[in-house]
Amino acid sequence: MSEPSLLTSPLHSRHTALGAKFAEFAGWDMPLQYPSGVLAEHQAVRTGVGAFDVSHLGKIWVTGPGAAAFVNRCLANDLDRIGPGGAQYTLCLDESGGVVDDLIAYRFGDDQVFLIPNAANTAEVARRLAAAAPEGVEVRDVHRSFAVIAVQGPESPRILEHLGLPHDHDYMSFREQSEVIVCRSGYTGETGFELVVPNEAAGDLWDAMLAAGAAPCGLGARDTLRLEMGYPLHGQDLSLDITPVQARLNWAIGWDKPEYWGKAALDAEKAAGPKRRLWGLEATGKGVPRAHMTVLDGDTAVGETTSGTHAPTLKKGVALALLDAAYKPGAELELDVRGRRLAVRVVKPPFTKATPK
């Protein structure tokens, strides 16, 4: 039974009919897995196509004269690197350089930007933008007005072609058709798309995708897929205590921009060099890493895991970990797994290859 206080996706009844197992994600009751199980769903995305309901993700419109320039003065990446129809991974930072959230910005034009933050941080990102917005720029939190469906896997273009939706545009670009925003992006490393659709149209779109051969996939498989690619999850691998410099996200910073939130702190950390960095760990022994495990060099603690799982594609344990800056890929270390030592090797993610974008 779902808790009465939890929010639900407009597709919730369909997930129930499919026999989904639910879990709470940032105040939303979302499908964790279907009867096929996480491993089958993971494999479907790596070899075919899967559909994820990610309607818990936030949705924010920033509109008005100079809206794009305003967003660019706030968020860390350089929005001027893309034009209308482009999408960009970016970061909302606080003045200490910590990560309030990582999000995707869709640039519709100079006067219109659409943002997709993480569910738990939508209200805070909207609040910060609204507080800073100049006269004439409006920030609207439309979190509960739209569904988001991610179609991921090497066969995803076939699904969209079958539905008559755009599917041949460039990676990190979007097209609109019949009120559906189709962005070539995703969180799995595979060729894929994220579709933003009004709530009232979401059910028919979901049904059509499954009828065309997409496997329904839950957020359990989404996590194993993203971790195989080394993609960070906010609240674990990114946070107010973990900066982009520590997380090796320098590519997502507009270093030459005159301003953005947290710029002074990030410039100083970059110049001095971070005291710790986020790297991958690949198990060389038998065991499954989890978050918050101590990383050891002999008897010395040199870091802590932030995410960890069994990687179905590799059939071994993998993790992301914040390590003292002296440690680089190739280092042989150990994890404390509930009092047992697990041998690991430091690597640079991704842990596995995916299909071309």
Side-chain angles (χ1 to χ4, degrees), residues 330-354:
E332 302 284 346
L333 300 170
E334 292 179 305
L335 288 184
D336 181 348
V337 182
R338 297 179 295 278
R340 183 178 67 84
R341 296 291 184 99
L342 172 62
V344 294
R345 179 180 298 113
V346 181
V347 299
K348 181 180 180 180
F351 298 101
T352 187
K353 294 182 179 179

Side-chain angles (χ1 to χ4, degrees), residues 7 51 83 126 170 256 301:
L7 300 172
D170 292 337
D256 295 331

Side-chain angles (χ1 to χ4, degrees), residues 45-115:
V45 173
R46 287 281 182 248
T47 62
V49 58
F52 299 81
D53 179 7
V54 288
S55 298
H56 61 307
L57 295 177
K59 305 96 187 172
I60 299 171
W61 280 111
V62 184
T63 57
F70 161 66
V71 170
N72 206 25
R73 292 193 299 271
C74 299
L75 304 185
N77 210 337
D78 188 351
L79 197 60
D80 287 339
R81 290 172 178 167
I82 63 172
Q88 183 182 74
Y89 178 82
T90 189
L91 300 154
C92 176
L93 307 178
D94 71 359
E95 289 309 309
S96 73
V99 182
V100 175
D101 199 24
D102 61 337
L103 59 162
I104 303 292
Y106 292 39
R107 184 168 185 158
F108 281 75
D110 292 346
D111 300 337
Q112 191 175 30
V113 179
F114 186 64
L115 303 174

Side-chain angles (χ1 to χ4, degrees), residues 95-148:
E95 289 309 309
S96 73
V99 182
V100 175
D101 199 24
D102 61 337
L103 59 162
I104 303 292
Y106 292 39
R107 184 168 185 158
F108 281 75
D110 292 346
D111 300 337
Q112 191 175 30
V113 179
F114 186 64
L115 303 174
I116 299 189
N118 286 291
N121 305 317
T122 298
E124 179 61 14
V125 171
R127 183 195 69 78
R128 288 174 181 251
L129 288 168
E135 185 176 354
V137 172
E138 182 182 17
V139 178
R140 288 186 293 128
D141 183 346
V142 292
H143 197 166
R144 299 181 65 181
S145 299
F146 295 88
V148 184

Side-chain angles (χ1 to χ4, degrees), residues 16-326:
T16 300
L18 289 167
K21 177 182 178 181
F22 291 88
E24 187 270 335
F25 288 87
W28 289 69
D29 195 31
M30 299 299 293
L32 178 67
Q33 64 181 75
Y34 296 87
S36 58
V38 171
L39 293 179
E41 294 167 22
H42 182 109
Q43 183 70 3
V45 173
R46 287 281 182 248
T47 62
V49 58
F52 299 81
D53 179 7
V54 288
S55 298
H56 61 307
L57 295 177
K59 305 96 187 172
I60 299 171
W61 280 111
V62 184
T63 57
F70 161 66
V71 170
N72 206 25
R73 292 193 299 271
C74 299
L75 304 185
N77 210 337
D78 188 351
L79 197 60
D80 287 339
R81 290 172 178 167
I82 63 172
Q88 183 182 74
Y89 178 82
T90 189
L91 300 154
C92 176
L93 307 178
D94 71 359
E95 289 309 309
S96 73
V99 182
V100 175
D101 199 24
D102 61 337
L103 59 162
I104 303 292
Y106 292 39
R107 184 168 185 158
F108 281 75
D110 292 346
D111 300 337
Q112 191 175 30
V113 179
F114 186 64
L115 303 174
I116 299 189
N118 286 291
N121 305 317
T122 298
E124 179 61 14
V125 171
R127 183 195 69 78
R128 288 174 181 251
L129 288 168
E135 185 176 354
V137 172
E138 182 182 17
V139 178
R140 288 186 293 128
D141 183 346
V142 292
H143 197 166
R144 299 181 65 181
S145 299
F146 295 88
V148 184
I149 302 172
V151 190
Q152 299 285 299
E155 293 186 21
S156 57
R158 175 184 64 79
I159 298 293
L160 267 64
E161 183 177 23
H162 178 80
L163 299 180
L165 291 171
H167 64 279
D168 57 359
H169 42 295
D170 292 337
Y171 181 61
M172 293 304 286
S173 69
F174 66 90
R175 300 289 182 269
E176 287 184 278
Q177 184 170 309
S178 304
E179 293 189 292
V180 180
I181 304 170
V182 180
C183 187
R184 188 158 191 154
S185 58
Y187 200 45
T188 66
E190 300 294 339
T191 298
F193 304 84
E194 293 177 306
L195 284 65
V196 182
V197 55
N199 282 346
E200 57 272 17
D204 288 345
L205 183 58
W206 175 265
D207 292 345
M209 287 179 179
L210 268 54
C217 299
L219 298 185
R222 181 174 163 90
D223 193 56
T224 58
L225 288 158
R226 71 93 189 170
L227 193 43
E228 284 190 343
M229 298 307 299
Y231 294 158
L233 176 65
H234 191 274
Q236 291 184 208
D237 316 299
L238 296 170
S239 70
L240 290 174
D241 297 321
I242 304 172
T243 71
V245 176
Q246 295 165 23
R248 297 186 305 102
L249 291 176
N250 286 12
W251 58 270
I253 305 298
W255 294 105
D256 295 331
K257 292 198 305 181
E259 62 176 310
Y260 57 86
W261 294 336
K263 177 177 172 59
L266 234 56
D267 283 346
E269 185 178 32
K270 182 186 179 187
K275 295 181 179 179
R276 56 184 187 170
R277 287 188 187 277
L278 191 72
W279 291 108
L281 299 178
E282 199 169 82
T284 56
K286 291 185 177 181
V288 180
R290 300 297 182 192
H292 306 300
M293 289 181 170
T294 301
V295 185
L296 298 162
D297 184 356
D299 292 327
T300 303
V302 298
E304 183 181 68
T305 58
T306 54
S307 289
T309 193
H310 172 77
T313 305
L314 297 173
K315 297 180 173 57
K316 65 174 66 175
V318 299
L320 295 176
L322 278 169
L323 303 177
D324 293 350

